[in-house]
Amino acid sequence: MTAEASGVFPIAATPFDDAGRLDEASLDRLTDFYVESGATGLTILGIMGEAQKLDAEEARLVVRRIVARAPIPVVVGVSAPGFAAMKTLARDSMDFGAAGVMIAPTPNLRTDDQIVAYFTDAVEAIGDDIPFVLQDYPLTLSVIMTPGVIRRIVTALPSCVMLKHEDWPGLEKISTLRRWQAEGSLRPLSILCGNGGLFLDFEGERGADGAMTGYAFPDMLAELASLQKAGRRDAAHDLFDAHLPLIRYEQQQGVGLAVRKYILKRRGAIACDRQRKPGGSLSDTARQEVDYLLARLARTDPRAAL
């Protein structure tokens, strides 16, 4: 994984069966689904991947199986309350063949100095030979990273090669970072965006290199990135606008993952849409609403005709 990474690195769901056990067959199917959807990389054990609900051996199994199957770079989320667990998963993941790791700040960080010190300590723990993604997700993690603190981290830690940008609103942050790069005060850095793709229509125009998110149509994200790269602005916005109602519905706090897993099941990527407890589920009314949105989307995008 390098600072030149671009395209779509979907945040992978973690499939479970009806009893809440890891579904290894669906792990294979889901990996193939992402690759066939045009993903240029894959991100596993993220927040959407229910990583916090796996024990250490299950996490290792997920990494080992997906890395062995995926012909594209795999990034592993290794965030943990303590650096010992982070180090073990990071080193094991790289031994299995992962391309890099993703690290999120702990929610108790408040000042810029605390944030910089945390990532400095994290890199010291896992080793500065492991490329890492800096996850900036203030809506969930409650840690505010200004462009200035991001520049400090990138400058101090050469192994930071990518920013997972999930600030909201965050378009000006992308523009600021890219302006600093153009001026020479920030070294090259890949920027991939999350938030379910909710702002991807303009994030790419502001200089983002692609998406790192879990929207259940990663093939649409890949097509959108391709259209933007080709300079086909209207076509890119038309595609995005067609998917926006479903993207918005999927971005709801509390039920978003349930929506994503339901659609992934309907698309044949996983066998069961169950979340491991504690986890939400869709009501019958919510399923009907998702089905309605899919049917409307299918009028313009045949991928939604399930």
PDB file of all heavy atoms in Angstrom, residues 246-277:
ATOM      1  N   LEU A 246     -30.940   5.559  -1.885  1.00  0.00           N
ATOM      2  CA  LEU A 246     -30.548   4.340  -1.195  1.00  0.00           C
ATOM      3  C   LEU A 246     -29.313   4.577  -0.331  1.00  0.00           C
ATOM      4  O   LEU A 246     -29.215   4.060   0.789  1.00  0.00           O
ATOM      5  CB  LEU A 246     -30.273   3.227  -2.211  1.00  0.00           C
ATOM      6  CG  LEU A 246     -29.988   1.831  -1.628  1.00  0.00           C
ATOM      7  CD1 LEU A 246     -31.150   1.351  -0.768  1.00  0.00           C
ATOM      8  CD2 LEU A 246     -29.720   0.833  -2.752  1.00  0.00           C
ATOM      9  N   ILE A 247     -28.358   5.372  -0.831  1.00  0.00           N
ATOM     10  CA  ILE A 247     -27.182   5.726  -0.029  1.00  0.00           C
ATOM     11  C   ILE A 247     -27.614   6.424   1.255  1.00  0.00           C
ATOM     12  O   ILE A 247     -27.136   6.114   2.347  1.00  0.00           O
ATOM     13  CB  ILE A 247     -26.231   6.631  -0.842  1.00  0.00           C
ATOM     14  CG1 ILE A 247     -25.588   5.860  -1.995  1.00  0.00           C
ATOM     15  CG2 ILE A 247     -25.149   7.219   0.060  1.00  0.00           C
ATOM     16  CD1 ILE A 247     -24.772   6.732  -2.928  1.00  0.00           C
ATOM     17  N   ARG A 248     -28.549   7.358   1.126  1.00  0.00           N
ATOM     18  CA  ARG A 248     -29.034   8.096   2.298  1.00  0.00           C
ATOM     19  C   ARG A 248     -29.716   7.152   3.285  1.00  0.00           C
ATOM     20  O   ARG A 248     -29.472   7.214   4.497  1.00  0.00           O
ATOM     21  CB  ARG A 248     -30.016   9.181   1.849  1.00  0.00           C
ATOM     22  CG  ARG A 248     -30.572  10.023   2.984  1.00  0.00           C
ATOM     23  CD  ARG A 248     -31.755  10.847   2.526  1.00  0.00           C
ATOM     24  NE  ARG A 248     -32.873   9.982   2.134  1.00  0.00           N
ATOM     25  CZ  ARG A 248     -34.086  10.438   1.790  1.00  0.00           C
ATOM     26  NH1 ARG A 248     -34.314  11.736   1.760  1.00  0.00           N
ATOM     27  NH2 ARG A 248     -35.051   9.600   1.445  1.00  0.00           N
ATOM     28  N   TYR A 249     -30.546   6.269   2.777  1.00  0.00           N
ATOM     29  CA  TYR A 249     -31.267   5.338   3.657  1.00  0.00           C
ATOM     30  C   TYR A 249     -30.288   4.417   4.379  1.00  0.00           C
ATOM     31  O   TYR A 249     -30.444   4.137   5.566  1.00  0.00           O
ATOM     32  CB  TYR A 249     -32.254   4.506   2.827  1.00  0.00           C
ATOM     33  CG  TYR A 249     -33.302   3.805   3.664  1.00  0.00           C
ATOM     34  CD1 TYR A 249     -34.541   4.399   3.892  1.00  0.00           C
ATOM     35  CD2 TYR A 249     -33.055   2.561   4.240  1.00  0.00           C
ATOM     36  CE1 TYR A 249     -35.507   3.771   4.663  1.00  0.00           C
ATOM     37  CE2 TYR A 249     -34.010   1.927   5.012  1.00  0.00           C
ATOM     38  CZ  TYR A 249     -35.233   2.534   5.224  1.00  0.00           C
ATOM     39  OH  TYR A 249     -36.180   1.916   6.011  1.00  0.00           O
ATOM     40  N   GLU A 250     -29.273   3.992   3.661  1.00  0.00           N
ATOM     41  CA  GLU A 250     -28.281   3.084   4.231  1.00  0.00           C
ATOM     42  C   GLU A 250     -27.404   3.770   5.266  1.00  0.00           C
ATOM     43  O   GLU A 250     -26.774   3.102   6.088  1.00  0.00           O
ATOM     44  CB  GLU A 250     -27.403   2.524   3.100  1.00  0.00           C
ATOM     45  CG  GLU A 250     -26.587   1.315   3.466  1.00  0.00           C
ATOM     46  CD  GLU A 250     -25.578   0.980   2.385  1.00  0.00           C
ATOM     47  OE1 GLU A 250     -24.567   1.699   2.288  1.00  0.00           O
ATOM     48  OE2 GLU A 250     -25.806   0.021   1.640  1.00  0.00           O
ATOM     49  N   GLN A 251     -27.348   5.089   5.254  1.00  0.00           N
ATOM     50  CA  GLN A 251     -26.462   5.836   6.141  1.00  0.00           C
ATOM     51  C   GLN A 251     -27.096   6.129   7.497  1.00  0.00           C
ATOM     52  O   GLN A 251     -26.482   6.765   8.344  1.00  0.00           O
ATOM     53  CB  GLN A 251     -26.038   7.141   5.460  1.00  0.00           C
ATOM     54  CG  GLN A 251     -24.896   7.896   6.132  1.00  0.00           C
ATOM     55  CD  GLN A 251     -23.597   7.107   6.186  1.00  0.00           C
ATOM     56  OE1 GLN A 251     -23.462   6.089   5.543  1.00  0.00           O
ATOM     57  NE2 GLN A 251     -22.640   7.584   6.975  1.00  0.00           N
ATOM     58  N   GLN A 252     -28.295   5.636   7.738  1.00  0.00           N
ATOM     59  CA  GLN A 252     -28.936   5.880   9.026  1.00  0.00           C
ATOM     60  C   GLN A 252     -28.138   5.264  10.167  1.00  0.00           C
ATOM     61  O   GLN A 252     -27.695   4.121  10.092  1.00  0.00           O
ATOM     62  CB  GLN A 252     -30.344   5.279   9.044  1.00  0.00           C
ATOM     63  CG  GLN A 252     -31.317   5.890   8.081  1.00  0.00           C
ATOM     64  CD  GLN A 252     -32.654   5.191   8.148  1.00  0.00           C
ATOM     65  OE1 GLN A 252     -33.513   5.538   8.945  1.00  0.00           O
ATOM     66  NE2 GLN A 252     -32.829   4.187   7.309  1.00  0.00           N
ATOM     67  N   GLN A 253     -27.967   6.033  11.240  1.00  0.00           N
ATOM     68  CA  GLN A 253     -27.302   5.517  12.421  1.00  0.00           C
ATOM     69  C   GLN A 253     -28.148   4.407  13.041  1.00  0.00           C
ATOM     70  O   GLN A 253     -29.357   4.506  13.148  1.00  0.00           O
ATOM     71  CB  GLN A 253     -27.089   6.640  13.441  1.00  0.00           C
ATOM     72  CG  GLN A 253     -26.059   7.672  13.023  1.00  0.00           C
ATOM     73  CD  GLN A 253     -24.646   7.110  13.001  1.00  0.00           C
ATOM     74  OE1 GLN A 253     -24.286   6.283  13.830  1.00  0.00           O
ATOM     75  NE2 GLN A 253     -23.854   7.548  12.049  1.00  0.00           N
ATOM     76  N   GLY A 254     -27.478   3.334  13.430  1.00  0.00           N
ATOM     77  CA  GLY A 254     -28.167   2.265  14.140  1.00  0.00           C
ATOM     78  C   GLY A 254     -28.669   1.136  13.265  1.00  0.00           C
ATOM     79  O   GLY A 254     -28.652  -0.025  13.681  1.00  0.00           O
ATOM     80  N   VAL A 255     -29.132   1.458  12.056  1.00  0.00           N
ATOM     81  CA  VAL A 255     -29.667   0.413  11.182  1.00  0.00           C
ATOM     82  C   VAL A 255     -28.904   0.313   9.860  1.00  0.00           C
ATOM     83  O   VAL A 255     -29.229  -0.540   9.034  1.00  0.00           O
ATOM     84  CB  VAL A 255     -31.173   0.620  10.889  1.00  0.00           C
ATOM     85  CG1 VAL A 255     -31.986   0.570  12.159  1.00  0.00           C
ATOM     86  CG2 VAL A 255     -31.404   1.932  10.142  1.00  0.00           C
ATOM     87  N   GLY A 256     -27.905   1.182   9.675  1.00  0.00           N
ATOM     88  CA  GLY A 256     -27.195   1.202   8.398  1.00  0.00           C
ATOM     89  C   GLY A 256     -26.582  -0.133   8.033  1.00  0.00           C
ATOM     90  O   GLY A 256     -26.683  -0.579   6.878  1.00  0.00           O
ATOM     91  N   LEU A 257     -25.936  -0.793   9.002  1.00  0.00           N
ATOM     92  CA  LEU A 257     -25.312  -2.078   8.697  1.00  0.00           C
ATOM     93  C   LEU A 257     -26.357  -3.136   8.378  1.00  0.00           C
ATOM     94  O   LEU A 257     -26.143  -3.988   7.510  1.00  0.00           O
ATOM     95  CB  LEU A 257     -24.436  -2.530   9.868  1.00  0.00           C
ATOM     96  CG  LEU A 257     -23.722  -3.869   9.687  1.00  0.00           C
ATOM     97  CD1 LEU A 257     -22.874  -3.883   8.411  1.00  0.00           C
ATOM     98  CD2 LEU A 257     -22.862  -4.185  10.907  1.00  0.00           C
ATOM     99  N   ALA A 258     -27.492  -3.083   9.058  1.00  0.00           N
ATOM    100  CA  ALA A 258     -28.568  -4.026   8.759  1.00  0.00           C
ATOM    101  C   ALA A 258     -29.060  -3.851   7.329  1.00  0.00           C
ATOM    102  O   ALA A 258     -29.332  -4.832   6.622  1.00  0.00           O
ATOM    103  CB  ALA A 258     -29.722  -3.842   9.748  1.00  0.00           C
ATOM    104  N   VAL A 259     -29.157  -2.597   6.875  1.00  0.00           N
ATOM    105  CA  VAL A 259     -29.566  -2.328   5.492  1.00  0.00           C
ATOM    106  C   VAL A 259     -28.526  -2.894   4.529  1.00  0.00           C
ATOM    107  O   VAL A 259     -28.862  -3.567   3.548  1.00  0.00           O
ATOM    108  CB  VAL A 259     -29.751  -0.813   5.264  1.00  0.00           C
ATOM    109  CG1 VAL A 259     -30.045  -0.531   3.794  1.00  0.00           C
ATOM    110  CG2 VAL A 259     -30.870  -0.273   6.142  1.00  0.00           C
ATOM    111  N   ARG A 260     -27.245  -2.630   4.800  1.00  0.00           N
ATOM    112  CA  ARG A 260     -26.190  -3.103   3.911  1.00  0.00           C
ATOM    113  C   ARG A 260     -26.174  -4.610   3.823  1.00  0.00           C
ATOM    114  O   ARG A 260     -26.061  -5.185   2.734  1.00  0.00           O
ATOM    115  CB  ARG A 260     -24.835  -2.590   4.399  1.00  0.00           C
ATOM    116  CG  ARG A 260     -24.638  -1.121   4.162  1.00  0.00           C
ATOM    117  CD  ARG A 260     -23.350  -0.610   4.753  1.00  0.00           C
ATOM    118  NE  ARG A 260     -23.213   0.819   4.473  1.00  0.00           N
ATOM    119  CZ  ARG A 260     -22.253   1.576   4.963  1.00  0.00           C
ATOM    120  NH1 ARG A 260     -21.337   1.050   5.761  1.00  0.00           N
ATOM    121  NH2 ARG A 260     -22.194   2.856   4.661  1.00  0.00           N
ATOM    122  N   LYS A 261     -26.279  -5.278   4.953  1.00  0.00           N
ATOM    123  CA  LYS A 261     -26.240  -6.739   4.923  1.00  0.00           C
ATOM    124  C   LYS A 261     -27.475  -7.309   4.219  1.00  0.00           C
ATOM    125  O   LYS A 261     -27.381  -8.330   3.514  1.00  0.00           O
ATOM    126  CB  LYS A 261     -26.119  -7.289   6.349  1.00  0.00           C
ATOM    127  CG  LYS A 261     -24.707  -7.217   6.915  1.00  0.00           C
ATOM    128  CD  LYS A 261     -24.545  -8.103   8.134  1.00  0.00           C
ATOM    129  CE  LYS A 261     -23.088  -8.435   8.384  1.00  0.00           C
ATOM    130  NZ  LYS A 261     -22.895  -9.369   9.510  1.00  0.00           N
ATOM    131  N   TYR A 262     -28.612  -6.661   4.397  1.00  0.00           N
ATOM    132  CA  TYR A 262     -29.823  -7.121   3.705  1.00  0.00           C
ATOM    133  C   TYR A 262     -29.644  -7.038   2.192  1.00  0.00           C
ATOM    134  O   TYR A 262     -29.982  -7.977   1.448  1.00  0.00           O
ATOM    135  CB  TYR A 262     -31.009  -6.277   4.157  1.00  0.00           C
ATOM    136  CG  TYR A 262     -32.305  -6.591   3.439  1.00  0.00           C
ATOM    137  CD1 TYR A 262     -32.941  -7.814   3.621  1.00  0.00           C
ATOM    138  CD2 TYR A 262     -32.889  -5.666   2.575  1.00  0.00           C
ATOM    139  CE1 TYR A 262     -34.132  -8.107   2.954  1.00  0.00           C
ATOM    140  CE2 TYR A 262     -34.075  -5.939   1.922  1.00  0.00           C
ATOM    141  CZ  TYR A 262     -34.689  -7.167   2.107  1.00  0.00           C
ATOM    142  OH  TYR A 262     -35.859  -7.454   1.444  1.00  0.00           O
ATOM    143  N   ILE A 263     -29.082  -5.925   1.718  1.00  0.00           N
ATOM    144  CA  ILE A 263     -28.876  -5.776   0.278  1.00  0.00           C
ATOM    145  C   ILE A 263     -27.801  -6.732  -0.216  1.00  0.00           C
ATOM    146  O   ILE A 263     -27.938  -7.345  -1.283  1.00  0.00           O
ATOM    147  CB  ILE A 263     -28.508  -4.321  -0.066  1.00  0.00           C
ATOM    148  CG1 ILE A 263     -29.649  -3.379   0.316  1.00  0.00           C
ATOM    149  CG2 ILE A 263     -28.203  -4.180  -1.560  1.00  0.00           C
ATOM    150  CD1 ILE A 263     -29.314  -1.905   0.166  1.00  0.00           C
ATOM    151  N   LEU A 264     -26.722  -6.895   0.539  1.00  0.00           N
ATOM    152  CA  LEU A 264     -25.669  -7.841   0.147  1.00  0.00           C
ATOM    153  C   LEU A 264     -26.225  -9.259   0.046  1.00  0.00           C
ATOM    154  O   LEU A 264     -25.854 -10.019  -0.855  1.00  0.00           O
ATOM    155  CB  LEU A 264     -24.511  -7.788   1.143  1.00  0.00           C
ATOM    156  CG  LEU A 264     -23.634  -6.537   1.098  1.00  0.00           C
ATOM    157  CD1 LEU A 264     -22.658  -6.528   2.266  1.00  0.00           C
ATOM    158  CD2 LEU A 264     -22.867  -6.447  -0.232  1.00  0.00           C
ATOM    159  N   LYS A 265     -27.130  -9.610   0.948  1.00  0.00           N
ATOM    160  CA  LYS A 265     -27.765 -10.927   0.861  1.00  0.00           C
ATOM    161  C   LYS A 265     -28.613 -11.015  -0.400  1.00  0.00           C
ATOM    162  O   LYS A 265     -28.562 -12.014  -1.138  1.00  0.00           O
ATOM    163  CB  LYS A 265     -28.626 -11.189   2.097  1.00  0.00           C
ATOM    164  CG  LYS A 265     -29.362 -12.514   2.069  1.00  0.00           C
ATOM    165  CD  LYS A 265     -30.266 -12.691   3.280  1.00  0.00           C
ATOM    166  CE  LYS A 265     -31.069 -13.990   3.198  1.00  0.00           C
ATOM    167  NZ  LYS A 265     -31.985 -14.141   4.349  1.00  0.00           N
ATOM    168  N   ARG A 266     -29.386  -9.988  -0.683  1.00  0.00           N
ATOM    169  CA  ARG A 266     -30.223  -9.995  -1.875  1.00  0.00           C
ATOM    170  C   ARG A 266     -29.390 -10.036  -3.152  1.00  0.00           C
ATOM    171  O   ARG A 266     -29.826 -10.584  -4.168  1.00  0.00           O
ATOM    172  CB  ARG A 266     -31.148  -8.768  -1.892  1.00  0.00           C
ATOM    173  CG  ARG A 266     -32.241  -8.819  -0.822  1.00  0.00           C
ATOM    174  CD  ARG A 266     -33.473  -8.081  -1.252  1.00  0.00           C
ATOM    175  NE  ARG A 266     -33.975  -8.568  -2.533  1.00  0.00           N
ATOM    176  CZ  ARG A 266     -34.878  -7.938  -3.271  1.00  0.00           C
ATOM    177  NH1 ARG A 266     -35.370  -6.781  -2.862  1.00  0.00           N
ATOM    178  NH2 ARG A 266     -35.281  -8.429  -4.426  1.00  0.00           N
ATOM    179  N   ARG A 267     -28.185  -9.476  -3.101  1.00  0.00           N
ATOM    180  CA  ARG A 267     -27.297  -9.492  -4.267  1.00  0.00           C
ATOM    181  C   ARG A 267     -26.522 -10.815  -4.351  1.00  0.00           C
ATOM    182  O   ARG A 267     -25.737 -10.987  -5.286  1.00  0.00           O
ATOM    183  CB  ARG A 267     -26.327  -8.323  -4.221  1.00  0.00           C
ATOM    184  CG  ARG A 267     -27.000  -6.950  -4.263  1.00  0.00           C
ATOM    185  CD  ARG A 267     -26.006  -5.851  -4.618  1.00  0.00           C
ATOM    186  NE  ARG A 267     -25.630  -5.916  -6.030  1.00  0.00           N
ATOM    187  CZ  ARG A 267     -24.673  -5.197  -6.591  1.00  0.00           C
ATOM    188  NH1 ARG A 267     -23.954  -4.367  -5.842  1.00  0.00           N
ATOM    189  NH2 ARG A 267     -24.383  -5.314  -7.878  1.00  0.00           N
ATOM    190  N   GLY A 268     -26.702 -11.706  -3.401  1.00  0.00           N
ATOM    191  CA  GLY A 268     -26.063 -13.012  -3.449  1.00  0.00           C
ATOM    192  C   GLY A 268     -24.645 -13.040  -2.916  1.00  0.00           C
ATOM    193  O   GLY A 268     -23.945 -14.047  -3.071  1.00  0.00           O
ATOM    194  N   ALA A 269     -24.216 -11.946  -2.259  1.00  0.00           N
ATOM    195  CA  ALA A 269     -22.843 -11.888  -1.771  1.00  0.00           C
ATOM    196  C   ALA A 269     -22.655 -12.622  -0.448  1.00  0.00           C
ATOM    197  O   ALA A 269     -21.555 -13.096  -0.145  1.00  0.00           O
ATOM    198  CB  ALA A 269     -22.408 -10.434  -1.611  1.00  0.00           C
ATOM    199  N   ILE A 270     -23.705 -12.697   0.358  1.00  0.00           N
ATOM    200  CA  ILE A 270     -23.658 -13.425   1.624  1.00  0.00           C
ATOM    201  C   ILE A 270     -24.937 -14.240   1.757  1.00  0.00           C
ATOM    202  O   ILE A 270     -25.963 -13.911   1.149  1.00  0.00           O
ATOM    203  CB  ILE A 270     -23.492 -12.479   2.838  1.00  0.00           C
ATOM    204  CG1 ILE A 270     -24.611 -11.435   2.888  1.00  0.00           C
ATOM    205  CG2 ILE A 270     -22.134 -11.795   2.804  1.00  0.00           C
ATOM    206  CD1 ILE A 270     -24.544 -10.507   4.113  1.00  0.00           C
ATOM    207  N   ALA A 271     -24.867 -15.277   2.569  1.00  0.00           N
ATOM    208  CA  ALA A 271     -26.019 -16.166   2.708  1.00  0.00           C
ATOM    209  C   ALA A 271     -27.013 -15.683   3.752  1.00  0.00           C
ATOM    210  O   ALA A 271     -28.198 -16.006   3.687  1.00  0.00           O
ATOM    211  CB  ALA A 271     -25.534 -17.574   3.070  1.00  0.00           C
ATOM    212  N   CYS A 272     -26.541 -14.922   4.735  1.00  0.00           N
ATOM    213  CA  CYS A 272     -27.379 -14.510   5.858  1.00  0.00           C
ATOM    214  C   CYS A 272     -27.057 -13.063   6.196  1.00  0.00           C
ATOM    215  O   CYS A 272     -25.886 -12.662   6.188  1.00  0.00           O
ATOM    216  CB  CYS A 272     -27.119 -15.437   7.055  1.00  0.00           C
ATOM    217  SG  CYS A 272     -27.965 -14.978   8.578  1.00  0.00           S
ATOM    218  N   ASP A 273     -28.089 -12.272   6.511  1.00  0.00           N
ATOM    219  CA  ASP A 273     -27.855 -10.861   6.814  1.00  0.00           C
ATOM    220  C   ASP A 273     -27.787 -10.584   8.311  1.00  0.00           C
ATOM    221  O   ASP A 273     -27.832  -9.430   8.740  1.00  0.00           O
ATOM    222  CB  ASP A 273     -28.925  -9.983   6.162  1.00  0.00           C
ATOM    223  CG  ASP A 273     -30.340 -10.307   6.643  1.00  0.00           C
ATOM    224  OD1 ASP A 273     -30.495 -11.273   7.398  1.00  0.00           O
ATOM    225  OD2 ASP A 273     -31.277  -9.584   6.235  1.00  0.00           O
ATOM    226  N   ARG A 274     -27.614 -11.624   9.101  1.00  0.00           N
ATOM    227  CA  ARG A 274     -27.580 -11.482  10.549  1.00  0.00           C
ATOM    228  C   ARG A 274     -26.340 -10.713  10.995  1.00  0.00           C
ATOM    229  O   ARG A 274     -25.249 -10.881  10.460  1.00  0.00           O
ATOM    230  CB  ARG A 274     -27.569 -12.861  11.207  1.00  0.00           C
ATOM    231  CG  ARG A 274     -27.454 -12.833  12.733  1.00  0.00           C
ATOM    232  CD  ARG A 274     -27.172 -14.218  13.287  1.00  0.00           C
ATOM    233  NE  ARG A 274     -26.982 -14.169  14.718  1.00  0.00           N
ATOM    234  CZ  ARG A 274     -27.910 -14.513  15.611  1.00  0.00           C
ATOM    235  NH1 ARG A 274     -29.082 -14.933  15.185  1.00  0.00           N
ATOM    236  NH2 ARG A 274     -27.672 -14.433  16.903  1.00  0.00           N
ATOM    237  N   GLN A 275     -26.521  -9.857  12.017  1.00  0.00           N
ATOM    238  CA  GLN A 275     -25.403  -9.261  12.729  1.00  0.00           C
ATOM    239  C   GLN A 275     -25.165 -10.056  14.014  1.00  0.00           C
ATOM    240  O   GLN A 275     -26.092 -10.620  14.586  1.00  0.00           O
ATOM    241  CB  GLN A 275     -25.695  -7.806  13.102  1.00  0.00           C
ATOM    242  CG  GLN A 275     -25.837  -6.867  11.923  1.00  0.00           C
ATOM    243  CD  GLN A 275     -26.153  -5.458  12.385  1.00  0.00           C
ATOM    244  OE1 GLN A 275     -25.380  -4.839  13.092  1.00  0.00           O
ATOM    245  NE2 GLN A 275     -27.305  -4.948  11.965  1.00  0.00           N
ATOM    246  N   ARG A 276     -23.924 -10.099  14.436  1.00  0.00           N
ATOM    247  CA  ARG A 276     -23.636 -10.741  15.718  1.00  0.00           C
ATOM    248  C   ARG A 276     -24.109  -9.819  16.843  1.00  0.00           C
ATOM    249  O   ARG A 276     -23.925  -8.603  16.776  1.00  0.00           O
ATOM    250  CB  ARG A 276     -22.141 -11.032  15.843  1.00  0.00           C
ATOM    251  CG  ARG A 276     -21.764 -11.710  17.149  1.00  0.00           C
ATOM    252  CD  ARG A 276     -20.328 -12.178  17.153  1.00  0.00           C
ATOM    253  NE  ARG A 276     -20.172 -13.477  16.496  1.00  0.00           N
ATOM    254  CZ  ARG A 276     -19.010 -14.144  16.456  1.00  0.00           C
ATOM    255  NH1 ARG A 276     -17.914 -13.620  17.008  1.00  0.00           N
ATOM    256  NH2 ARG A 276     -18.934 -15.316  15.860  1.00  0.00           N
ATOM    257  N   LYS A 277     -24.699 -10.391  17.867  1.00  0.00           N
ATOM    258  CA  LYS A 277     -25.223  -9.606  18.979  1.00  0.00           C
ATOM    259  C   LYS A 277     -24.094  -8.911  19.734  1.00  0.00           C
ATOM    260  O   LYS A 277     -23.016  -9.481  19.884  1.00  0.00           O
ATOM    261  CB  LYS A 277     -26.011 -10.510  19.931  1.00  0.00           C
ATOM    262  CG  LYS A 277     -27.274 -11.104  19.313  1.00  0.00           C
ATOM    263  CD  LYS A 277     -28.000 -11.985  20.310  1.00  0.00           C
ATOM    264  CE  LYS A 277     -29.275 -12.560  19.678  1.00  0.00           C
ATOM    265  NZ  LYS A 277     -29.987 -13.452  20.636  1.00  0.00           N
TER     266      LYS A 277
END
